[in-house]
Amino acid sequence: QQPVQSPQAVILREGEDAVINCSSSKALYSVHWYRQKHGEAPVFLMILLKGGEQKGHEKISASFNEKKQQSSLYLTASQLSYSGTYFCGTEMTWNQGGKLIFGQGTELSVKP
Amino acid sequence: SQTIHQWPATLVQPVGSPLSLECTVEGTSNPNLYWYRQAAGRGLQLLFYSVGIGQISSEVPQNLSASRPQDRQFILSSKKLLLSDSGFYLCAWSGRGSLARETDTQYFGPGTRLTVL
């Protein structure tokens, strides 16, 4: 039931854009996105609920396609601070104590 | 505001020794609590989660156990550590959501880096 993230790794130059995908074989209730710097704890970015909503956070936004059971994270005009590993956490139903199953991560490196 | 604490920050233990990691949350009541493990260069593996005192759900069969003796305290234990128990252990908490949004953000603690030799 672990979601699959793609790509596994991506290297960008400052100012370039990137898309990270998170796909599930099971129906999803919500998708949570996190960024983790090396040696640190994951930091929350945003939650998307089923219903196909799209959310934005500065130059980082995300969408949730309920029909495809896929969420995409969009990073535009990337900055050096965007470097890190991005994880999606998926929730199958609302009544399981908020349990999240995380993807394997996408390592993003932004170069000057 | 809410804060989450974990200790110790780092730990080096010999194989076969016991383990106790503690996590406490401040500034909220009745949180959901979670223990994750992250092996080097790998993803987050959910180990246990708890929706209330004494209520523990185990996700992965192993030699670890968890307990929640108080509302905002979550403890991860082992009687005998294995080499494979090495990793970065993260505790997280979330609220209970609401009628409008029946899910809530998980906030992670700073983590404990465990090395078993």
Side-chain angles (χ1 to χ4, degrees), chain A:
Chain A
Q1 293 185 355
Q2 182 183 30
V4 177
Q5 289 185 231
S6 62
Q8 289 188 335
V10 58
I11 300 175
L12 300 174
R13 293 288 182 188
E14 268 189 297
E16 292 181 338
D17 302 339
V19 180
I20 300 172
N21 297 307
C22 174
S23 298
S24 173
S25 60
K26 303 283 187 180
L28 298 175
Y29 175 71
S30 69
V31 179
H32 304 225
W33 285 98
Y34 288 81
R35 177 172 61 211
Q36 184 180 30
K37 302 279 188 178
H38 183 69
E40 300 178 5
V43 173
F44 170 74
L45 294 176
M46 63 189 76
I47 291 176
L48 299 104
L49 299 180
K50 69 176 185 179
E53 67 173 354
Q54 185 158 354
K55 300 185 74 172
H57 182 261
E58 297 180 345
K59 295 180 181 178
I60 301 175
S61 62
S63 64
F64 181 16
N65 187 320
E66 188 178 351
K67 289 183 179 179
K68 292 184 177 180
Q69 301 306 324
Q70 177 175 300
S71 178
S72 297
L73 186 71
Y74 307 94
L75 301 106
T76 58
S78 59
Q79 306 168 13
L80 295 176
S81 62
Y82 286 5
S83 293
T85 302
Y86 290 78
F87 292 97
C88 67
T90 55
E91 191 176 13
M92 303 301 173
T93 177
W94 65 273
N95 61 351
Q96 286 193 330
K99 183 176 73 172
L100 295 179
I101 306 299
F102 283 89
Q104 79 278 19
T106 295
E107 188 172 355
L108 178 74
S109 298
V110 181
K111 307 291 185 184

Side-chain angles (χ1 to χ4, degrees), chain B residues 78-89:
Chain B
S78 174
K79 293 182 178 178
K80 289 186 178 181
L81 284 170
L82 306 173
L83 287 173
S84 57
D85 291 325
S86 293
F88 191 37
Y89 287 82

Side-chain angles (χ1 to χ4, degrees), chain B residues 4 11 14 18 22 24 33 52 59 62 82 89 93 102 112-113:
Chain B
I4 178 169
L11 192 60
E22 190 164 342
T24 58
L33 295 171
E59 291 297 299
Q62 57 211 321
L82 306 173
Y89 287 82
W93 75 273
E102 293 158 337
T112 294
R113 194 161 302 279

